[in-house]
Every structure is written in C-alpha cells, then in structure tokens.
Amino acid sequence: MSYDPYKHHRRSIRLKGYDYTQTGAYFVTICTYKRQPLFGKIVNGEMKLSLLGQLVYYEWQKTAVVRPNIHLDAFVVMPNHLHGIIVIFLNSADMNVPDGRPAGSPLQSGSLGAIIGQFKSKVTKRFRRFPGNDNSPIWQRNYYEQIIRNERHLTAVTQYIHNNPANWISDDLYLPD
C-alpha cells in the first residue's frame, strides 16, 4: 500500500495553539494497546493490579519524583487504562532548559506530551526486562487530555477518578471478559 497523505496522516487531538508546557492542571487518560486488560481486573468494585499494573502504578508515582516541576493528584490504574491528574507548576522556560523545539511543541521538554511519553517509555522498557515477555505492544498511540480550568472541574474529575473502579461496567473503556 502506497502512502496517501489524505488517508495516512495523524491529526492532533491537542487544543490548537495551546502551550502544554504552561502552568496548569491536566486530566489524562492513557490506554493500553487495543484496550486489552493488561493492568489487572476489577473484583467487587476494587482494582486488583497485575504485575504490569503494579509497574504502571509505581512508574506513575515516580514521574513526580524525576520531574520536580509537576505534582500528581488523583489517579487510578484500571484494567486497560490509567486516569490521572498532572499539575505542571513550572514550565521549561521558567527552568531555562532549551531543547531546540519551538515553544509549546507537544514534545518540548517539560510539556505534557513529553511527560506522558517518558512515562510510557519507562514502563515499556522495564516491562521488557521481565522474563517470558513476548514484546507485544503495551500502549495505544497518544493519550487523551482535558485542561482543568477551574476548581469545580477539578472536583468533578477527582470524584470521577476515585469512583472509576466501582463504576467499571458503565465506563466507556469497559470491555467485557
């Protein structure tokens, strides 16, 4: 199949012109490849993490340790996705860390895209070291985000995250066994 630029291009799902390095809170959803339940299962409304799910949980928490410019708020690892709130409180311009990319670029150092990319990469690299790993893909391409614009939105998203395991069957990402 030859390349057709009208069929074979990726459209950005990011807010056009928005600088994802700037201070702010973001609600992110990161899905597994083909939405496979790789991270565990819900039992009686509670998430039971698989070994990979435990790794995802650990690496998500570690994200704030290796990046001093972010704070992680509420998050939950679900069978086939992770929901989390990331607060960026300094941008790369504030930290004087030029990386050669235009300001606001999705992969600019310190941007939301760079944070998510590094997280996914760390999980994948560490998981590949486990014995018996078949090197199947772990992650769906990209991720979903919402810019949290006010306290009311933050409260609603936090409640959604905390209630997600109990509401798993009605979740948009639920796939029956």
Side-chain angles (χ1 to χ4, degrees):
M1 175 193 281
S2 64
Y3 174 75
D4 179 347
Y6 295 102
K7 286 170 55 177
H8 302 109
H9 67 282
R10 293 177 60 196
R11 290 184 189 92
S12 176
I13 59 174
R14 305 293 151 244
L15 182 60
K16 190 172 182 160
Y18 187 82
D19 180 358
Y20 284 90
T21 64
Q22 71 183 341
T23 299
Y26 305 91
F27 171 42
V28 298
T29 300
I30 309 168
C31 297
T32 61
Y33 181 71
K34 295 186 178 180
R35 299 200 177 157
Q36 300 169 84
L38 303 175
F39 302 151
K41 59 185 176 179
I42 302 291
V43 177
N44 297 324
E46 193 174 308
M47 182 62 190
K48 302 294 182 189
L49 296 172
S50 66
L51 187 58
L52 178 54
Q54 291 173 33
L55 178 60
V56 167
Y57 187 95
Y58 170 79
E59 285 298 334
W60 185 254
Q61 289 184 310
K62 192 173 166 191
T63 299
V65 174
V66 299
R67 292 185 180 273
N69 66 314
I70 69 167
H71 167 74
L72 298 178
D73 205 311
F75 75 95
V76 65
V77 178
M78 296 293 289
N80 62 4
H81 64 283
L82 173 141
H83 287 305
I85 298 171
I86 296 178
V87 180
I88 298 176
F89 56 88
L90 291 176
N91 65 34
S92 58
D94 294 334
M95 297 169 36
N96 290 323
V97 186
D99 68 355
R101 293 190 177 98
S105 167
L107 294 178
Q108 181 182 359
S109 178
S111 71
L112 185 61
I115 293 165
I116 300 300
Q118 183 180 31
F119 163 74
K120 289 165 77 171
S121 176
K122 287 283 192 183
V123 169
T124 301
K125 285 178 184 174
R126 290 200 59 208
F127 187 65
R128 295 286 181 249
R129 291 189 229 147
F130 290 3
N133 188 326
D134 66 359
N135 290 332
S136 296
I138 297 171
W139 302 109
Q140 173 180 294
R141 257 187 167 178
N142 225 327
Y143 61 95
Y144 303 96
E145 55 57 38
Q146 291 179 16
I147 301 161
I148 298 176
R149 298 180 187 264
N150 56 46
E151 200 68 36
R152 195 171 122 221
H153 188 195
L154 176 62
T155 300
V157 167
T158 301
Q159 186 174 4
Y160 175 81
I161 289 170
H162 288 305
N163 293 334
N164 207 234
N167 297 327
W168 176 231
I169 292 176
S170 61
D171 193 291
D172 290 342
L173 298 173
Y174 172 74
L175 292 175
D177 295 332

